[in-house]
Amino acid sequence: IPIFILAGLLVHCVFLVSIFDIYFSSPLVHGMTPQQTPLPPPAKRLVLFVADGLRADSLYELDSNGMPRAPYLRGILETNGSWGISHTRVPTESRPGHVALIAGFYEDVSAVAKGWKENPVEFDSVFNESKYTWSWGSPDILPMFAKGATGDHVYTFCYAAESEDFGAEDAAKLDTWVFDHVKSFFNSSRSNQTLFSALNEEKVVLFLHLLGIDTNGHAHRPNSREYQENIKQVDEGVKEIASMIDNFYENDGKTAFILTSDHGMTDWGSHGAGHPSETLTPLIVWGAGVNYPQKVTSQFFEDNFLKEWKLENLKRLDVNQADIAPLMASLIGVPFPLNSVGTLPLEYLNSSAHFKAESMFTNAVQILEQFKVKMSQKKETTLSFLFTPFKPLSDSEQINFLKKIRLYIQQQKYDEAVSLCKTLINLALEGLSYYHTYDRLFLGLSIAVGFVGWTTYVILVIIKDHTNLTKTVPGNKKKSAVLFYSFASAGMIIAFFLLIQTCPWTYYIYCLLPVPVWYAVVREVPVIQDLATNVLSLHISQSIGFLLISILAIEILVFSFFYRSALTVGLLVFAGWPVITQLWIQAKTQALIWTLLCVLLAIFPLMPVVGRDPNIPLVIAAGLLTLLISCFSLASLCKSENKSRDNEDLKVYFYQMFSVALSTYVVSSTHNSLKNKQGLPVMNQIISWMTLVSSPALLLLSPTFLFQRLFSILLSLMSIYLLLSTGYEALFPLVLFGLMFVWIKMEQEALQHYGLSLKPKLAVFNFTYAMDITQFRQLHLDDVRRSFFFVFFIVTAFFGTGNIASINSFDPASVYCFLTVFSPFMMGGLLLLKVAIPFVLVSCAFEAVQVTTQLSSKSLFLIVLVISDIMALHFFFLVKDYGSWLDIGTSISHYVLVMSLTIFMMVMNGLAQLLTTQRLGLPRRTKHHS
């Protein structure tokens, strides 16, 4: 078994990692030459304000009195600047947003896996190309642009990371810090000659990163007074800085200003996914070389924002976020960042047609350079007879394009030159994507072949070892040797092919994996033949019926990943299960409770995703309900015939109940304290962390009798779950666990119903003595349903209270009892723990079902493996890397979820065994019986 499990883990890890290689590898190439516009630029220096987490509508809309939220900026876009909406991409996080703004490319998904703060890939940026850049703001953002810069010309001034506190009285002080430091910096330059002359150079960038709005949005939501006040403060700060800089340079008219944001924010204070409130950010540009407002009578956009914002008569110029980098580069005349894929938004420029045409040409050549490097890389690693080039941009076509554009510029046909440049840019971007996804079909197919082979092998193992459908057939030595050599030679041919093409080492794994897997399947041919004769002797209608029901069941599971309401449908079908199978005749009360709890649990997937609006009274109610249930259970425990019960055991339960009560109190007092802006009380924080550490230990002190141990697991996990809850989800584990309790009893009835074994006494059933191999029975068709129930409950545990596939449904408020200072990995860890708790409850119940129905955990687990692998194959083909960014993000996370679900279930299986069978002995006083 260990070899099998290791192989399974390995295969699944390969499948899981493959998707990042196939769909999401880094698009960056290196080795291009920098491209710069040959004409003198309009501005000497650029000031970039990035208001982190500022939504477009929050800035542009008027308040309830019809007054602008940001009077100074509103004045600028009405009288002396250009404005529009900058469309960002997913993931809408600070790091990818800033990379798009300053380096001009969209960071690939794999960068997220490598952490936000460092540079997973080297890239060029506007800051790097500038003569000097001075930047002020958050330690999460600034260092990555200084780190990637060549030489020593990018200077950063950051506050301490501890200042980013969601529980602080007012996060706007982060912005005040930036404004104050910029002012004192300019004042000090008057007495510092080197600094003064550096500031008077050309190609200078000043970058102000303003994090207050984002922090206030997370802590108080974007519709709050704090968020809107913060926008006013930023507006005043920008006004002061702009006038100070104009005075410093004696109004020389050589400064360009840009104000934008890296991403927006949802109404419930999160960002990361592709909702319009997250992807629409403001862009206001003014100063040297920038167009004045253009009056228009009508303009058409699909949204109705212009009317709401009362801006119908001012031309709105929308851009993609990466277009801002080339705009900054052409304003101050630095080379375009090497990896930029942005298109210069010409409408923002107030310069000669010649300058516009030259800038556009530079832009086109810079993107074409990337295309050429990408093409030559692909050409080197592909056999010449297998290489299919990107037709629209063959070498002759490229020369043709460049000659034509040059000619147009010489003939002063600037408009024709610009439109040809745009065509060339679009073709080059298409070509970049073509070469980037060149190997996709071939890799995808080999993974799919491996997947199908693995699933087939697991099904064969189940049939061969755990059922009595087949007779064991002695193997033919001669045949197996031939088989072995033919598969080995196939593997060698594949490896040789990859070797000539100098493919990366991961390709070897993906392409060679199907070979051993299919070898294992083909070796079991006698089993398949034996099975075929057995199945044909059954009724055809029965076999087909079983197949159809299985397919339908798996499709419901796949559907539930997209629509949570599919879980409700499934649970309502489950509610009728005792009636359909006539189990209710022999166990009426249990069947009734089962139906009731199924219906109750079916309500949760219909509720809105957690975290949209906190509801602390519900959390307190859940805590009190848990205490009420524990009192009843303790009373029945004391009455029971189990005389060997110890007073020590009762003490453990009392400690656990006390812990639940304490958690309930901590949640309510913490949220009150944060509401009154008094921060997180230190005492509460200590209690929370102590509960987190002590709960698992208390659990292991309880007796290992079936219901007592399960009840203890519920109490322990509930005390942690309450601390991480903000609303109705606190009731979810209670209902889920109630259903699990009844499920264990119902499975006993089912065993008797199918006459598979006698009914063991559950009250005195002990986990520790249950591992007796001799009593294990073979699999029955009903066990497939048992496994399906488990997978269904696991998925319900995942999606019951929210769509965990979207970063959006995580609400930082859930971790406020533990910490309020921003720390992505600590917060992520606690949120994962919250997701895992219902999971552990289901796994422990499944462990109990396996043990009481006398099945080896391996046989049921294998069926579970088959079900989840078939689901994973579905999602593998549903992964997208195009379309709306929300779709892409969801499709990746679905696949990763199902794959990690399988790996996770292996871990959970072990954890459940540990939680149910292990017991920590306390030194006890010996008792003397007379």
Side-chain angles (χ1 to χ4, degrees):
I1 294 175
I3 294 178
F4 182 80
I5 286 189
L6 276 176
L9 270 173
L10 190 74
V11 168
H12 281 94
C13 287
V14 171
F15 289 157
L16 179 54
V17 176
S18 70
I19 170 186
F20 290 104
D21 245 1
I22 297 177
Y23 289 96
F24 307 102
S25 48
S26 171
L28 297 193
V29 285
H30 299 291
M32 290 78 66
T33 43
Q35 302 296 322
Q36 189 171 356
T37 311
L39 301 175
K44 273 182 158 185
R45 65 201 77 87
L46 174 97
V47 185
L48 172 65
F49 300 96
V50 176
D52 205 305
L54 174 60
R55 287 161 53 148
D57 55 349
S58 300
L59 179 70
Y60 293 137
E61 71 189 2
L62 304 171
D63 63 16
S64 47
N65 309 325
M67 299 299 288
R69 291 241 165 85
Y72 173 70
L73 289 170
R74 180 79 173 201
I76 276 175
L77 68 89
E78 284 174 352
T79 57
N80 58 355
S82 291
W83 74 284
I85 286 178
S86 153
H87 296 262
T88 73
R89 281 206 188 172
V90 169
T92 41
E93 296 291 347
S94 295
R95 181 202 155 92
H98 280 89
V99 170
L101 285 172
I102 297 160
F105 69 92
Y106 301 106
E107 210 164 23
D108 59 301
V109 184
S110 60
V112 174
K114 296 175 187 168
W116 271 270
K117 303 190 185 186
E118 293 308 316
N119 296 18
V121 281
E122 289 306 310
F123 58 84
D124 186 26
S125 68
V126 175
F127 294 176
N128 188 29
E129 297 290 357
S130 69
K131 184 82 184 270
Y132 294 107
T133 294
W134 286 276
S135 53
W136 294 265
S138 152
D140 294 342
I141 296 300
L142 305 188
M144 72 182 187
F145 293 104
K147 216 183 175 111
T150 46
D152 188 22
H153 62 278
V154 178
Y155 304 100
T156 58
F157 305 95
C158 312
Y159 36 75
E162 288 71 55
S163 317
E164 303 173 22
D165 185 351
F166 295 144
E169 283 177 43
D170 188 18
K173 62 173 184 285
L174 297 177
D175 299 344
T176 324
W177 185 99
V178 171
F179 294 133
D180 293 347
H181 276 73
V182 175
K183 287 173 197 161
S184 62
F185 172 80
F186 271 93
N187 288 336
S188 69
S189 73
R190 293 183 194 279
S191 55
N192 176 344
Q193 197 46 53
T194 21
L195 181 57
F196 188 79
S197 57
L199 277 167
N200 279 289
E201 291 274 359
E202 291 185 347
K203 303 181 181 177
V204 164
V205 178
L206 302 165
F207 170 43
L208 285 71
H209 175 239
L210 310 165
L211 188 66
I213 294 179
D214 183 65
T215 312
N216 266 326
H218 283 307
H220 306 288
R221 316 271 188 266
N223 295 323
S224 63
R225 187 182 53 80
E226 289 85 355
Y227 185 86
Q228 289 162 2
E229 284 293 313
N230 203 158
I231 294 178
K232 258 197 181 63
Q233 278 166 300
V234 166
D235 182 61
E236 280 156 20
V238 169
K239 179 182 178 179
E240 287 168 18
I241 297 291
S243 75
M244 180 200 71
I245 287 175
D246 284 341
N247 292 339
F248 182 86
Y249 291 109
E250 297 166 350
N251 293 334
D252 65 352
K254 286 285 179 192
T255 313
F257 297 91
I258 293 184
L259 177 128
T260 184
S261 163
D262 52 352
H263 54 75
M265 190 172 278
T266 55
D267 289 341
W268 52 96
S270 75
H271 53 82
H275 191 269
S277 59
E278 297 162 278
T279 58
L280 301 183
T281 59
L283 173 64
I284 301 178
V285 189
W286 71 102
V290 180
N291 244 334
Y292 288 109
Q294 301 164 51
K295 295 273 189 290
V296 287
T297 44
S298 69
Q299 45 184 338
F300 175 71
F301 284 94
E302 284 181 357
D303 50 49
N304 298 322
F305 290 140
L306 289 166
K307 210 171 192 164
E308 288 169 31
W309 302 337
K310 307 253 189 307
L311 289 169
E312 302 100 322
N313 303 328
L314 290 173
K315 189 160 192 191
R316 164 178 151 188
L317 310 169
D318 282 17
V319 301
N320 288 324
Q321 195 172 33
D323 300 344
I324 297 174
L327 176 64
M328 295 196 283
S330 67
L331 282 172
I332 53 171
V334 298
F336 286 36
L338 293 177
N339 297 109
S340 165
V341 292
T343 311
L344 178 64
L346 289 178
E347 292 174 297
Y348 277 89
L349 295 179
N350 178 18
S351 46
S352 66
H354 185 201
F355 180 82
K356 286 183 180 176
E358 282 288 0
S359 299
M360 210 60 201
F361 183 55
T362 309
N363 194 178
V365 172
Q366 170 258 325
I367 292 178
L368 189 63
E369 278 285 312
Q370 293 181 66
F371 168 78
K372 284 173 166 168
V373 172
K374 194 85 175 175
M375 179 167 110
S376 66
Q377 279 180 3
K378 208 57 265 133
K379 216 169 186 170
E380 280 166 21
T381 60
T382 314
L383 294 174
S384 52
F385 66 90
L386 288 176
F387 182 69
T388 40
F390 181 64
K391 296 277 184 339
L393 271 187
S394 57
D395 293 350
S396 56
E397 280 290 319
Q398 290 177 29
I399 297 166
N400 201 356
F401 262 113
L402 297 176
K403 270 186 182 162
K404 256 187 182 167
I405 297 171
R406 267 275 144 251
L407 188 67
Y408 278 143
I409 292 178
Q410 279 159 5
Q411 296 171 346
Q412 300 190 351
K413 294 183 177 170
Y414 298 126
D415 290 347
E416 287 91 332
V418 165
S419 74
L420 205 54
C421 285
K422 286 184 177 166
T423 314
L424 180 56
I425 288 175
N426 290 335
L427 281 177
L429 289 174
E430 258 178 61
L432 266 173
S433 137
Y434 169 80
Y435 285 120
H436 185 52
T437 59
Y438 192 80
D439 294 332
R440 178 168 304 168
L441 183 69
F442 150 69
L443 288 177
L445 277 176
S446 50
I447 288 289
V449 169
F451 232 129
V452 174
W454 165 255
T455 314
T456 315
Y457 177 63
V458 177
I459 293 175
L460 288 177
V461 168
I462 296 173
I463 288 166
K464 194 173 109 182
D465 296 352
H466 298 282
T467 65
N468 35 26
L469 285 178
T470 58
K471 305 183 289 294
T472 42
V473 188
N476 182 337
K477 283 262 168 71
K478 200 171 175 185
K479 264 187 184 172
S480 57
V482 173
L483 254 185
F484 177 77
Y485 287 119
S486 50
F487 270 95
S489 50
M492 279 170 175
I493 294 170
I494 294 173
F496 176 68
F497 236 90
L498 294 172
L499 195 68
I500 330 177
Q501 303 197 35
T502 55
C503 290
W505 61 273
T506 45
Y507 283 29
Y508 288 85
I509 298 178
Y510 305 146
C511 299
L512 291 173
L513 185 69
V515 178
V517 170
W518 278 100
Y519 169 64
V521 172
V522 175
R523 265 180 54 194
E524 306 291 348
V525 163
V527 179
I528 301 173
Q529 290 166 344
D530 208 22
L531 182 66
T533 48
N534 267 336
V535 168
L536 291 175
S537 64
L538 290 171
H539 293 298
I540 296 291
S541 57
Q542 273 184 336
S543 315
I544 293 177
F546 175 69
L547 259 176
L548 283 177
I549 288 178
S550 312
I551 291 170
L552 184 72
I554 289 179
E555 289 308 316
I556 280 193
L557 279 179
V558 171
F559 228 64
S560 69
F561 275 72
F562 297 99
Y563 308 100
R564 288 168 54 217
S565 47
L567 290 173
T568 305
V569 176
L571 283 164
L572 293 176
V573 173
F574 280 12
W577 166 61
V579 182
I580 300 165
T581 54
Q582 308 207 321
L583 270 180
W584 66 281
I585 298 169
Q586 64 193 68
K588 287 199 172 58
T589 21
Q590 277 165 21
L592 191 68
I593 298 173
W594 164 267
T595 306
L596 202 79
L597 284 171
C598 277
V599 172
L600 262 181
L601 194 63
I603 297 170
F604 283 93
L606 296 175
M607 306 278 271
V609 173
V610 167
R612 301 283 161 103
D613 22 50
N615 189 340
I616 300 304
L618 274 179
V619 182
I620 297 167
L624 297 175
L625 190 62
T626 311
L627 289 173
L628 193 69
I629 292 171
S630 11
C631 291
F632 275 116
S633 307
L634 268 185
S636 70
L637 232 175
C638 293
K639 276 187 209 153
S640 74
E641 297 85 75
N642 194 354
K643 289 288 177 271
S644 58
R645 186 184 36 70
D646 217 321
N647 288 337
E648 301 280 336
D649 298 343
L650 287 180
K651 271 188 203 163
V652 174
Y653 290 124
F654 282 123
Y655 286 136
Q656 287 185 311
M657 284 167 69
F658 176 67
S659 174
V660 171
L662 206 57
S663 295
T664 313
Y665 163 75
V666 168
V667 169
S668 94
S669 86
T670 301
H671 282 271
N672 277 338
S673 161
L674 289 173
K675 213 178 195 170
N676 303 331
K677 300 210 171 164
Q678 291 159 344
L680 166 63
V682 179
M683 195 61 211
N684 288 8
Q685 195 173 9
I686 294 171
I687 294 175
S688 298
W689 285 104
M690 295 270 289
T691 307
L692 185 63
V693 176
S694 65
S695 288
L698 275 175
L699 187 170
L700 293 175
L701 291 173
S702 67
T704 53
F705 289 103
L706 185 102
F707 285 128
Q708 293 177 26
R709 177 48 74 94
L710 287 177
F711 171 57
S712 175
I713 290 174
L714 173 69
L715 284 184
S716 265
L717 295 179
M718 247 340 251
S719 55
I720 302 174
Y721 199 82
L722 284 170
L723 291 172
L724 291 166
S725 297
T726 57
Y728 72 88
E729 83 267 29
L731 296 163
F732 180 68
L734 277 179
V735 180
L736 182 68
F737 203 67
L739 186 61
M740 295 295 97
F741 245 51
V742 186
W743 181 37
I744 297 169
K745 291 197 161 173
M746 290 298 288
E747 287 299 359
Q748 291 314 128
E749 302 296 338
L751 264 191
Q752 251 187 319
H753 183 73
Y754 288 108
L756 291 179
S757 80
L758 296 169
K759 193 170 168 187
K761 274 204 166 145
L762 288 186
V764 290
F765 197 91
N766 195 328
F767 276 117
T768 325
Y769 314 131
M771 294 295 153
D772 177 11
I773 303 242
T774 53
Q775 293 185 338
F776 287 153
R777 59 185 179 79
Q778 293 284 47
L779 286 172
H780 177 265
L781 256 188
D782 195 41
D783 295 320
V784 177
R785 176 201 52 79
R786 226 164 248 134
S787 308
F788 175 73
F789 268 27
F790 172 58
V791 179
F792 190 90
F793 286 136
I794 284 283
V795 174
T796 308
F798 254 146
F799 293 107
T801 59
N803 179 4
I804 97 154
S806 145
I807 312 178
N808 247 342
S809 38
F810 292 133
D811 179 17
S814 330
V815 299
Y816 286 170
C817 290
F818 293 91
L819 75 164
T820 55
V821 175
F822 180 66
S823 152
F825 292 103
M826 188 74 100
M827 288 181 164
L830 286 166
L831 286 166
L832 278 178
L833 175 71
K834 181 179 176 178
V835 170
I837 285 175
F839 216 94
V840 176
L841 291 176
V842 176
S843 294
C844 290
F846 187 55
E847 183 64 26
V849 167
Q850 283 176 17
V851 168
T852 54
T853 54
Q854 296 167 335
L855 275 176
S856 73
S857 54
K858 187 190 164 194
S859 53
L860 272 190
F861 182 72
L862 289 178
I863 303 179
V864 169
L865 200 61
V866 171
I867 296 174
S868 52
D869 276 346
I870 296 174
M871 283 165 66
L873 195 57
H874 265 78
F875 288 118
F876 182 76
F877 288 112
L878 289 173
V879 170
K880 292 181 181 163
D881 69 335
Y882 58 89
S884 97
W885 266 91
L886 183 61
D887 299 346
I888 298 175
T890 325
S891 72
I892 303 169
S893 44
H894 282 166
Y895 180 68
V896 171
L897 257 176
V898 177
M899 287 311 294
S900 41
L901 198 75
T902 319
I903 298 169
F904 201 38
M905 279 198 250
M906 294 187 182
V907 176
M908 279 297 162
N909 210 13
L911 181 68
Q913 278 184 13
L914 175 95
L915 288 182
T916 50
T917 55
Q918 296 305 313
R919 182 167 190 193
L920 298 175
L922 282 183
R924 305 192 169 204
R925 294 190 300 283
T926 48
K927 295 181 184 174
H928 298 289
H929 295 282
S930 55

